[in-house]
């Protein structure tokens, strides 16, 4: 009986020794260092791989030098008709209209110096819109309209006596403090 037990223990010993050796070969120090090195080198490479930083928005969209085009950089957060195509200019209201007393403020990147600028989008009030005028809807930085001031789909003529919306100007206020 005891010799049978001895044989059984011997078998178990051999089997466990075999599997321990196999595991040591497979998960040994060298194997561990080799794997860790691969993971480390991979992690070092991640920051240099190209990836999309645009956040899906228009922040880095191609721009134009034409201020009558919606992609002109100063119009980056505009929602309305361009005054420069409505009888006015980039910064002045057409005759017979007056600038809104309140406005939407956007932050636009100037592609010429790569700086961010605060831009005031004042509506011009007091006349009906011109059908031939260019309508733009860029509204970069806008948030859903659940809170006044975060949303730009607003008639900013609301604080004027004459509340009829005509067009919107893009007036640079200065460099944004970022
Ligand atoms: N800020 C331009 C505008 C005017 C009327 C309605 C929506 C947006």
């Amino acid at each position: 009986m005891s010799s049978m037990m001895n044989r059984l223990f011997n078998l178990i010993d051999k089997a466990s020794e075999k599997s321990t050796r196999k595991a040591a070969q497979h998960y040994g120090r060298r194997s561990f260092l080799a794997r860790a090195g691969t993971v480390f080198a991979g992690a070092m490479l991640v920051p240099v791989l190209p990836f999309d930083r645009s956040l899906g928005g228009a922040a880095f969209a191609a721009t134009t030098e034409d201020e009558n085009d919606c992609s002109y950089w100063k119009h980056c957060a505009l929602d309305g008709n361009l005054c420069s195509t409505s009888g006015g200019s980039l910064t002045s209201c057409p005759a017979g209209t007056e600038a809104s007393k309140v406005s939407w403020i956007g932050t636009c990147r100037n592609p010429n110096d790569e700086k961010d600028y605060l831009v005031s989008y004042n509506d011009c009030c007091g006349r009906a819109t011109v059908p031939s005028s260019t309508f733009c809807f860029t509204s970069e930085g806008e948030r859903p309209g659940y809170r006044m001031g975060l949303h730009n789909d607003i008639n900013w003529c609301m604080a004027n006596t004459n509340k009829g919306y005509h067009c919107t100007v893009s007036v640079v206020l200065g460099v944004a403090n970022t």
Side-chain angles (χ1 to χ4, degrees):
M1 184 73 179
S2 85
S3 76
M4 255 181 64
M5 291 290 276
N6 272 344
R7 268 218 218 138
L8 184 67
F9 283 138
N10 265 345
L11 271 175
I12 292 172
D13 273 357
K14 283 218 167 97
S16 64
E17 186 190 330
K18 205 173 166 187
S19 68
T20 308
R21 279 186 195 282
K22 233 181 179 176
Q25 273 170 4
H26 197 71
Y27 301 111
R29 230 181 326 165
R30 278 191 202 177
S31 158
F32 169 78
L33 287 177
R35 275 160 197 258
T38 310
V39 170
F40 186 67
M44 297 271 287
L45 270 178
V46 168
V48 299
L49 293 175
F51 60 93
D52 184 10
R53 292 175 194 264
S54 72
L55 305 174
F60 302 100
T63 56
T64 170
E65 290 295 311
D66 180 4
E67 60 189 47
N68 293 334
D69 193 295
C70 296
S71 64
Y72 181 57
W73 73 271
K74 289 179 189 171
H75 303 324
C76 86
L78 194 149
D79 176 355
N81 296 321
L82 299 182
C83 286
S84 55
T85 63
S86 306
S89 74
L90 179 68
T91 54
S92 62
C93 289
T97 67
E98 59 172 13
S100 61
K101 295 187 190 332
V102 288
S103 69
W104 171 260
I105 307 288
T107 305
C108 300
R109 171 74 46 98
N110 181 346
N112 301 308
D113 62 7
E114 292 298 323
K115 284 185 180 157
D116 290 329
Y117 288 83
L118 292 179
V119 182
S120 177
Y121 298 101
N122 291 76
D123 288 342
C124 296
C125 321
R127 263 175 63 192
T129 53
V130 184
S132 59
S133 162
T134 300
F135 173 76
C136 299
F137 176 61
T138 39
S139 284
E140 204 173 279
E142 180 187 55
R143 291 292 175 265
Y146 54 81
R147 213 178 103 188
M148 184 80 170
L150 295 182
H151 195 61
N152 191 20
D153 193 15
I154 305 272
N155 180 359
W156 297 105
C157 295
M158 68 176 104
N160 289 44
T161 310
N162 232 325
K163 299 182 193 330
Y165 171 75
H166 184 67
C167 62
T168 306
V169 290
S170 304
V171 181
V172 171
L173 300 177
V175 180
N177 267 338
T178 46

